[in-house]
């Protein structure tokens, strides 16, 4: 069995205490909630923090409730409870599906929504044991200076692999962060950057405390598609999140699509106002949207699955998402 | 003891005394244990977590060992400096290859592997040095303090490159002028193939690629060594061949075999991946000898992938000639086997890849040419269906192509070529019982084949495939004329029966199998049989759990011992009752008079009477194979088995033509196992086999990085996250249909069921994909990208429509 390194484990009682602990060990501490990402990464020697600060026992990081026109989800809520929550199921079918499609039941019971948002990027040259990475000669993201995917690039192209992030971006969600310097809010759509080494704007001393999602209008419809090899466990090969505001006769008032799991940053499909907004959500529009998504997505060999196929699956699953959305047949996770 | 205490409490085996009448009757119905749905004798321990696997064991003072592995695919070792590691507090011993410079291999003719590399490493993951320390963390730290200087050599990744005249030599050639990269070349021809091809009405020629695969048992390899103060070595190991391990330990460590004890605790899955000695077993023994403390090594999952011995990747070309009416006139195969860094079972694999194709269909002529080469990757070896799953995939797809060319239903084509029972194959293997036709009938009927084949809409299809497999091999791995299997039975006064067997229980149920036979013959309830297995100090020699030999061979040995005791006991009781021995029944905890079941005594009483008359009740039984059932040509013994099992599958698939996702809706599996000693276990093997084949067909990818992708020879995915085997969510519905041909030589007619049922699953799925979308998947796996690419290549719809037109035309012609 792979072994963990030695570290000091902290169980603070409040976010403020956790933030103080984090701030007092610059570069030597990491926070842990469900641990479903951090633990395997530590066993692979990707992170070797001297201090691990637990968050899950902090009461203020829990709770899912409607407040001031928003659904407020505590960052330490498990993916299982998010996917099953009645408001999520009724109002945000895509979020229920995305949270309910992460890994398997045991991992969803442990893994949290905050953790999913902050999930480390993944790459075939990175998520390996120390022995393997040593035989490789390491890589740009960890201990090395070469990207084996692009060969020349100075930016890490490891894949953003969080199932819920794209959905939260389309839903206009906001992430609340807290540190010893105070609190701030970042729209999830601005949360990610295109560098796989650290692909979020979260500062090293910040803790994600909440995710807030504006409650939808009656005209809002959502859809979610996840492509993976197996019916469970696997990280996504491709994720499509869609939110549409539909008027009478399926007239598109607004359409947001995020394609993720291809590169380091989820891709907001641009130019949909030109091909979709103001038109009916019919076959022709669907095809135009699907082609636009295809043109904007360029997967790499950061995952060990044929990038040409992954690219070809973008329009297929955009079409499927839009077709289901138009038919009103998107349902929450079981 | 009161008789009611002897009554069986397990629902499956419950035979009430009032049912003795039924058992007194004739025929199969008269058996009380065999053929009934009994529990596994070790099932409760496994489901409650009580079973002790090797890694669950901890001995006083036990140390933990780790092995330093090569980060290079091919390199000379210039120096190894262990001083810094030895100086680390907590380290008790450091070991290098120079301390065990003896080569080993499970096949005595191809010993090419050192327990730890001496002067050359041949794949990323090859063992270089080992340490024993107070705990795993200290051992891991010590590994990083061992300094190894390497001189890098050109690695060979592609088998074709290994054949080049100027290729670097991974191993030294046995003779000057030979290519040392060739483990084995086999060329055999039976009849005039070229003439038969020239004379055939149709000849189909195609190429196929089997990617190779890993066994992925849930339990990683684990071993504990204890070299005690008296100079006795005990090794506990998660192996499926404790006897071969025993012999190789003695050779490599230069110890008297009699001073070594090998124990195989419960094993958590093996599938052929634990059927030869591994570096950790030598290392725990040598480390313990060095420091005087017990030493345990448990592989990480990554190390399991490096130890490998999985299915060989094979590049295969086949030509099949057939007459207009579908008779197979000629089969011509050329196979290139990518063996990885060491020989393992490769010599046998090279033969099996050709020898085992000659049933269940009759070939007029047959030729195969198999070459197994070394490459700088983890060594390949035997996996469930050793050496014959790959050619079976190619050939059953080719048969489908022949059927299409001739416009004959592929089910019918297979029937027309049925080889028959009590016959010889073209390569002179003796076939006894053969229920293949019944297998075809069963899958055809259950799958509603005739309503579906070439009749479903685009995207949906069915496919059929057949196969045969061995029930053990007639010749042991090291030449000797001693029995292949032996069992000892001892009866205790309470009625308890102890069975001592060297058979390796690896989850397949060999402990249960001998218990069923002992309980059947001696009339005790199943729970009164205690099976003691695989401890070389206690149990008779058995060759191990490989080549599906245990039910047939160990079952026969057990039957011999148990029926010997039964005869002795019934003779004594008959004498007491003044009747004939044949009139005394032993069943369900009773000795009873077959003509008057009211006359009965508890079985323990019968045992006590017999013991008083005869002395201690014990018996030994053994089994040896027939030696005249193979061809008299070089290699003719390899593949010869006392009996063959037969299988047919129908798979039904639904292909998403946009994505290439193949949804296998259902697999119907019919398997001729001779007799199902316990139908539940046979069905379990059939389902498990089909599941495993399904995973290989659709998901598993045995791929290595090359120089353009990171590092040549690096395993792409040495973890269970990235090496994908199906989850319960992915597994199709499986329907098992047991066919019992009652083999004349198997115990109660039984043959194998552990490996045969895997073979048709892959070609049946490939053939179903063709029926669904008109695309021939000749290369594995049939993953979404690969199916999608095949569809992108174009012509699928046209091929699909042509296949149905051809079928309709033949139907009209037949009318």
């Amino acid at each position: 069995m792979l072994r963990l390194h030695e570290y000091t484990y902290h169980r603070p009682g409040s976010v403020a205490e956790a933030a103080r602990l984090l701030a007092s060990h610059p570069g030597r501490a990491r926070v842990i909630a469900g641990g479903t990402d951090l633990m395997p990464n530590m066993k692979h020697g990707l992170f070797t923090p001297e201090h691990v600060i637990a968050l899950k026992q902090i009461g203020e990081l829990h709770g899912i409730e409607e407040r001031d026109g928003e659904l407020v989800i505590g960052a330490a809520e498990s993916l299982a409870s998010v996917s099953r929550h009645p408001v999520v199921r009724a109002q945000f079918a895509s979020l229920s599906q995305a949270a309910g499609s992460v890994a398997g039941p045991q991992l969803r019971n442990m893994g949290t929504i905050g953790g999913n948002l902050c999930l480390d990027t993944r790459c075939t040259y990175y998520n390996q044991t120390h022995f393997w990475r040593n035989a490789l000669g390491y890589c740009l993201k960890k201990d090395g200076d070469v990207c084996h995917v692009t060969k020349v690039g100075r930016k890490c192209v490891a894949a953003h692999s969080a199932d819920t992030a794209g959905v939260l971006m389309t839903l206009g969600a906001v992430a609340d962060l807290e540190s010893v310097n105070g609190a701030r809010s970042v729209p999830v759509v601005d949360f990610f950057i295109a560098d796989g080494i650290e692909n979020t704007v979260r500062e090293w001393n910040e803790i994600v405390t909440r995710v807030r999602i504006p409650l939808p209008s009656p005209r809002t419809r959502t859809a979610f598609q996840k492509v993976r090899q197996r019916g469970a466990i696997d990280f996504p090969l491709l994720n499509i999140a869609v939110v549409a505001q539909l008027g009478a006769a399926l007239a598109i008032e607004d359409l947001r699509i995020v394609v993720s799991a291809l590169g380091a940053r989820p891709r907001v499909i641009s130019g949909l106002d030109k091909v979709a907004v103001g038109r009916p959500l019919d076959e022709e529009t669907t095809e135009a949207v699907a082609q636009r998504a295809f043109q904007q997505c360029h997967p790499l060999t950061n995952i060990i699955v044929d990038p040409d196929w992954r690219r070809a699956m973008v329009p297929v699953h955009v079409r499927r998402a839009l077709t289901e959305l138009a038919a009103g047949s998107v349902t929450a996770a079981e | 003891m009161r008789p009611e205490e002897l009554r069986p409490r397990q629902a499956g085996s419950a035979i009430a005394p009032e049912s003795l009448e039924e058992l007194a009757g004739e025929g199969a119905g008269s058996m009380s244990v065999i053929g009934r749905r009994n529990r596994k004798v070790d099932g409760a321990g496994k489901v409650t977590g009580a079973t002790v696997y090797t890694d669950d064991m901890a001995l006083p003072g036990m140390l933990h060992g780790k092995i330093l592995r090569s980060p290079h695919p091919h390199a000379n070792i210039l120096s190894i400096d262990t001083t810094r590691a030895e100086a680390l507090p907590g380290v008790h011993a450091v070991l290098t290859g120079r301390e065990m410079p003896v080569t080993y291999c499970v096949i005595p003719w191809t010993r090419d592997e050192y327990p730890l590399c001496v002067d050359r490493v041949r794949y990323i993951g090859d063992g270089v040095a080992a340490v024993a320390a107070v705990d795993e963390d200290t051992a891991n730290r010590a590994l990083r303090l061992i300094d190894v200087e390497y001189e890098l050599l050109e690695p060979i990744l592609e088998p074709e490159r290994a054949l080049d005249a100027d290729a670097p030599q991974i191993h030294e050639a046995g003779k000057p002028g030979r290519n040392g990269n060739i483990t084995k070349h086999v060329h055999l021809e039976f009849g005039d193939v070229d003439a038969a091809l020239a004379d055939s009405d149709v000849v189909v020629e195609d190429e196929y690629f089997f990617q190779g695969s890993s066994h992925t048992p849930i339990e990683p390899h684990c071993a504990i060594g204890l070299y005690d103060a008296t100079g006795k070595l005990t090794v506990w190991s998660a192996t499926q061949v404790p006897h071969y391990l025993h012999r190789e330990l003695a050779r490599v460590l230069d110890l008297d075999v009699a001073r070594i004890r090998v124990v195989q605790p419960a094993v958590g899955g093996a599938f052929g991946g634990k059927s030869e000695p591994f570096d950790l077993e030598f290392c725990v023994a040598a480390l313990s000898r060095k420091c005087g403390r017990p030493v345990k090594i448990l592989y990480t999952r990554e190390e399991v992938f490096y130890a490998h011995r999985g299915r060989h990747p094979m590049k295969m070309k086949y030509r099949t000639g057939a007459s207009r009416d579908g008779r197979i006139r000629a089969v011509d195969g050329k196979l290139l086997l990518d063996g990885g860094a060491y020989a393992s079972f490769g010599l046998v694999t090279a033969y099996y890849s050709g020898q085992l194709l000659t049933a269940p269909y009759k070939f007029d002529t047959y030729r195969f040419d198999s070459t197994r080469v070394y490459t700088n990757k983890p060594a390949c070896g035997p996996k469930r269906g050793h050496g014959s799953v790959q050619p079976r995939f190619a050939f059953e797809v080719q048969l489908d192509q022949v059927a299409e060319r001739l416009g004959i239903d592929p089910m019918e084509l297979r029937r027309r070529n049925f080889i028959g029972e009590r016959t010889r194959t073209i390569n002179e293997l003796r076939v006894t019982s053969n229920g293949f036709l019944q297998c075809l009938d069963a899958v055809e009927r259950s799958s509603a084949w005739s309503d579906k084949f070439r009749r479903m809409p685009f995207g949906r299809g069915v496919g059929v495939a057949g196969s045969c497999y061995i029930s053990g091999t007639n010749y042991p791995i090291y030449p000797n004329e001693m029995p292949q299997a032996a069992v000892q039975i001892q009866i205790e006064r309470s009625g308890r029966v102890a069975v001592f067997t060297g058979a390796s229980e690896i989850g397949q149920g060999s402990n249960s199998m001998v218990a069923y036979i002992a309980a059947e013959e001696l009339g005790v309830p199943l729970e009164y049989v205690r099976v003691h297995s695989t401890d070389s100090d206690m149990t008779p020699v058995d060759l191990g759990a490989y080549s599906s030999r245990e039910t047939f061979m160990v079952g026969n040995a057990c039957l011999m011992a148990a029926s010997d005791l039964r005869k002795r006991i019934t003779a004594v009781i008959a004498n007491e009752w003044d009747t004939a021995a044949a009139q005394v029944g032993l069943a369900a905890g009773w000795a009873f008079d077959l003509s008057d079941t009211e006359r009965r005594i508890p079985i323990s009483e019968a045992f006590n009477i017999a013991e008083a008359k005869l002395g201690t009740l014990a018996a030994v039984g053994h089994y040896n194979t027939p030696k005249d059932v193979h061809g008299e040509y070089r290699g003719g013994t390899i593949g010869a088995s006392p009996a063959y099992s037969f299988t047919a599958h129908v798979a039904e698939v639904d292909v998403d033509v946009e994505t290439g996702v193949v949804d296998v809706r259902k697999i119907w599996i019919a398997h001729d196992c001779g007799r199902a000693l316990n139908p539940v276990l046979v069905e379990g093997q059939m389902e498990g086999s089909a599941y495993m084949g399904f995973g290989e067909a659709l998901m598993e990818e045995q791929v290595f990085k090359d120089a353009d992708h990171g590092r040549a020879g690096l395993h792409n995915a040495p973890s269970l996250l990235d090496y994908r085997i199906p989850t319960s969510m992915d597994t199709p519905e499986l329907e098992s249909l047991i066919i019992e041909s009652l083999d004349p030589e198997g115990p109660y007619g039984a043959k194998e069921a552990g490996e045969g049922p895997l073979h048709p699953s892959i070609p049946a799925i490939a053939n179903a994909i063709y029926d669904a979308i008109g695309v021939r998947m000749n290369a594995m796996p049939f993953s979404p990208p690969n199916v999608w690419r095949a569809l992108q290549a174009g012509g699928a719809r046209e091929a699909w429509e042509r296949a149905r037109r051809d079928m309709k035309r033949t139907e009209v012609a037949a009318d």
Side-chain angles (χ1 to χ4, degrees), chain A residues 108-277:
Chain A
R108 289 195 292 274
N109 287 338
M110 293 300 293
T112 62
I113 187 81
N116 197 240
L117 204 59
C118 298
L119 190 82
D120 192 19
T121 54
R122 302 186 62 82
C123 180
T124 177
Y125 297 105
Y126 171 70
N127 296 99
Q128 304 282 359
T129 64
H130 183 267
F131 170 83
W132 195 100
R133 291 183 294 110
N134 175 55
L136 172 74
Y138 305 104
C139 81
L140 192 61
K141 182 163 159 72
K142 174 71 181 164
D143 300 332
D145 48 18
V146 178
C147 172
H148 300 279
V149 179
T150 62
K151 310 262 192 320
V152 290
R154 295 308 306 162
K155 261 191 183 171
C156 170
V157 294
H160 167 272
S161 303
D163 291 306
T164 61
V167 168
L168 292 171
M169 288 166 72
T170 58
L171 291 171
V174 170
D176 290 344
L177 297 111
E178 199 171 318
S179 73
V180 285
N181 304 325
R184 65 169 177 147
S185 298
V186 179
V188 179
V189 77
D190 300 326
F191 191 71
F192 300 100
I193 55 173
D195 186 346
I197 293 176
E198 287 283 352
N199 77 331
T200 75
V201 299
R202 184 179 70 89
E203 295 292 333
W204 66 271
N205 62 353
E206 285 182 315
I207 296 166
V208 174
T209 55
R210 273 175 304 275
V211 174
R212 293 180 284 119
I213 316 172
L215 290 172
S217 85
R219 301 196 305 285
T220 306
R221 291 192 196 177
T222 68
F224 174 73
Q225 296 270 315
K226 174 173 179 172
V227 178
R228 57 180 163 187
Q229 289 97 329
R230 294 180 287 193
I233 302 299
D234 293 331
F235 283 97
L237 301 173
L238 172 68
N239 274 339
I240 312 270
V242 183
V243 170
Q245 307 295 326
L246 297 183
L250 297 180
I252 301 172
E253 294 167 3
D254 186 31
L255 179 64
R256 284 182 245 172
I257 297 179
V258 171
V259 179
S260 59
L262 300 180
R265 181 188 193 183
R267 180 170 291 277
V268 180
I269 301 303
S270 63
L272 296 181
D273 49 335
K274 295 192 191 79
V275 295
V277 174

